[in-house]
Structures are given as structure tokens and as C-alpha cells.
Amino acid sequence: MTEEDVVQYLQETPGFFERHPALLETLTIPHPVHGGAISLLERQVALLRKSTSDYRGEFERLVAIARENEAIMKKSRRLILKCLSCESLDDFAGIVEEVMREDFSIQYQSMVLFADQALDTSIRTASWEAAEPILKEMLVQSGCYCGVLSVAESEFLFEGQSDAVMSSAILPLVSLEGGKVVYHGVLALGSSRLNHFDKEKGALFLDYLSDLLSALLLRLLP
């Protein structure tokens, strides 16, 4: 009888060790770490302990993510409710700045609205013709942009604070008109940490926030 015959027999007879439990204590295999011999039963126990530990770690990771998402949704709810009470663009910008700073711990932020004519607001404005050549590479991507800005992009968005900004999240403020995306502005969030904004981790929330702020802004635009 060859080893292959034994393997095939055990595969075809899954109840073999249930009928011969004593064999589990006498069979030995190499220890996975120090190489010494251990019983098959000890090996199974070790594998079960490892699986239990892995499942526990995954469960704890999922619980942490759930708690983080719950906290984010509570902060987003506060932002929505406060912005719904806004009666002017300045109110809107002030609330966004406050919530981003206090609830989301954003170090640097800048809101720029695109307008060809003067708006009744202290929010910085720029014509789309002036902004588009600088921001087009960033805005051409779908959804929000996360990462490092070029010198021109950073200086345009953050002005005097641009040297301190190491990573950014750029949220387009848009509407859909006639099947085309119209840019009304951007909200730029910055951090002094290089990898603070993670597209893979926070893409869904950033896109949600961009859609939310866009809808709230449109209520206030002339």
C-alpha cells in the first residue's frame, strides 16, 4: 500500500478517526515552529486556537470599523442639520469650517466658488476659466481627489498655507445640468501628514460628503 492509497482511503472514509480515537494521540507530526514531534490531536488543537484567534481579530477589526462609521454618520448628521438652517453662503461656509475643524479635526481647509460675477459672500471666488487650467487634471477624475497636490494646485487652493499642506482631499461642489457636470466650486481639505487622506479607505465617505455639500450649496446660490 502506498501513501497515496492511505490518503485516498482517509479522504473516502471521513469517520475513520471517530471509530479509532486512540490513533489521534499516537500519531505524531512535526511541530510547525520548533520541529519537534507532537500528536495529531495537539496539532488540531493548535490549529483551532489559531483559527479562533484569527476570527476574534477579524471580529474586533469589524467592530472598530462599525464604531468609526457610526461616529462619522453622527458627525455628518450634525453637518446636515446645521447647514439646513443656513440662510446665506457665509453661514454655509462658516458651518462647514466649524464642523470640519471641530468634528473631523481638519487642519487646513479652503472653499472656492466658481463665478463670473460677484457673489454676495466673503467666500473666495474665481472664474471657472481661471481655475480650470490649474485644477483640470485633478477634477477630471471621477469623484473626490485624494493625495499630494502640485505646487500650482496647492497655491491656488490653500494660498499662504500651501507649504504646510502635505496631503489633501478635494471635494468638488457640482450639479448635473443637461446631462453635464457643472462645477460650482471646491472644498479643499489639507493635512500636514503625508498620507492622512486615503482614497481607498475614505472614498465612499468623501464622495458622500461631496454630494451632500453640493446639494446644500445649490440651495443658496443665486
Side-chain angles (χ1 to χ4, degrees):
M1 178 180 290
T2 65
E3 291 184 1
E4 289 74 14
D5 294 332
V6 174
V7 170
Q8 182 177 354
Y9 174 77
L10 291 175
Q11 288 175 336
E12 295 174 351
T13 317
F16 177 81
F17 287 109
E18 293 180 3
R19 297 190 297 274
H20 305 280
L23 283 175
L24 292 175
E25 298 181 7
T26 59
L27 293 174
T28 60
I29 58 176
H31 192 281
V33 178
H34 55 65
I38 60 173
S39 71
L40 182 59
L41 186 59
E42 289 177 303
R43 174 60 171 162
Q44 288 179 315
V45 170
L47 289 173
L48 286 173
R49 286 175 178 169
K50 182 179 184 303
S51 296
T52 300
S53 177
D54 291 344
Y55 285 131
R56 183 182 296 113
E58 180 65 11
F59 175 75
E60 291 174 351
R61 185 184 72 84
L62 293 175
V63 169
I65 292 174
R67 287 174 177 167
E68 181 181 352
N69 289 339
E70 182 183 12
I72 288 175
M73 293 309 298
K74 287 182 178 179
K75 295 172 184 178
S76 300
R77 179 176 180 273
R78 177 173 179 252
L79 176 62
I80 295 171
L81 293 176
K82 290 178 73 71
C83 284
L84 285 174
S85 66
C86 293
E87 297 182 355
S88 70
L89 289 171
D90 285 347
D91 289 344
F92 174 74
I95 287 174
V96 171
E97 192 277 334
E98 173 191 324
V99 173
M100 289 295 111
R101 184 186 68 252
E102 296 183 0
D103 289 359
F104 294 96
S105 301
I106 298 298
Q107 291 176 281
Y108 309 102
Q109 56 183 301
S110 171
M111 184 181 294
V112 182
L113 298 181
F114 303 139
D116 294 326
Q117 299 178 348
L119 299 176
D120 183 18
T121 179
S122 60
I123 302 174
R124 181 177 156 218
T125 61
S127 68
W128 174 242
E129 287 72 20
E132 193 266 346
I134 300 173
L135 304 180
K136 63 180 179 181
E137 293 298 326
M138 179 177 57
L139 295 178
V140 74
Q141 303 183 36
S142 176
C144 298
Y145 171 86
C146 290
V148 179
L149 302 177
S150 70
V151 173
E153 291 168 344
S154 185
E155 289 180 347
F156 177 83
L157 292 170
F158 293 102
E159 298 187 298
Q161 297 178 318
S162 62
D163 290 341
V165 176
M166 295 292 103
S167 66
S168 305
I170 312 303
L171 285 63
L173 304 174
V174 303
S175 65
L176 193 62
E177 300 177 12
K180 293 184 179 180
V181 175
V182 177
Y183 290 91
H184 299 285
V186 292
L187 173 64
L189 308 177
S191 172
S192 59
R193 292 196 293 117
L194 188 60
N195 297 314
H196 181 78
F197 296 100
D198 186 343
K199 179 67 173 178
E200 296 302 321
K201 181 180 179 181
L204 183 62
F205 171 67
L206 289 173
D207 289 340
Y208 162 76
L209 192 59
S210 174
D211 292 341
L212 170 66
L213 293 176
S214 294
L216 292 168
L217 173 66
L218 289 175
R219 297 172 55 252
L220 302 169
L221 287 174

